[in-house]
Amino acid sequence: MGTGATNDMKIEIFGENGAIRFSAEEPSWLEVFDVRDSDQPAGGMSGYRKVQSVGRFEGHKVPDWSMAPVL
């Protein structure tokens, strides 16, 4: 029996003014870090923030490991 995450692919990009990361486990979201966010008071808005990267609509499905390809 194997344990662990099934879609644990992550991509992280770091820049001068922040960072962005993508996880295949949550493909509809990006995590964004902006160094210009206020760190006051006591941490403020500093840190990664989740941003929705696709529009939601009824019946929406994201392909994952459980969906067989159609040939």
Side-chain angles (χ1 to χ4, degrees), residues 18-21 30-34 37 47-51:
I20 189 168
R21 60 186 176 197
L30 293 174
E31 292 183 83
V32 178
F33 183 90
D34 191 338
D37 289 341
Y48 278 93
R49 194 172 352 172
K50 287 177 89 171
V51 178

Side-chain angles (χ1 to χ4, degrees), residues 45-57:
M45 295 298 296
S46 180
Y48 278 93
R49 194 172 352 172
K50 287 177 89 171
V51 178
Q52 189 173 12
S53 59
V54 296
R56 298 263 184 223
F57 55 91

Side-chain angles (χ1 to χ4, degrees), residues 57-68:
F57 55 91
E58 194 171 328
H60 166 241
K61 284 190 175 184
V62 175
D64 65 11
W65 65 274
S66 67
M67 296 179 172

Side-chain angles (χ1 to χ4, degrees), residues 22-34:
F22 167 82
S23 172
E25 290 180 334
E26 295 184 292
S28 298
W29 297 89
L30 293 174
E31 292 183 83
V32 178
F33 183 90
D34 191 338

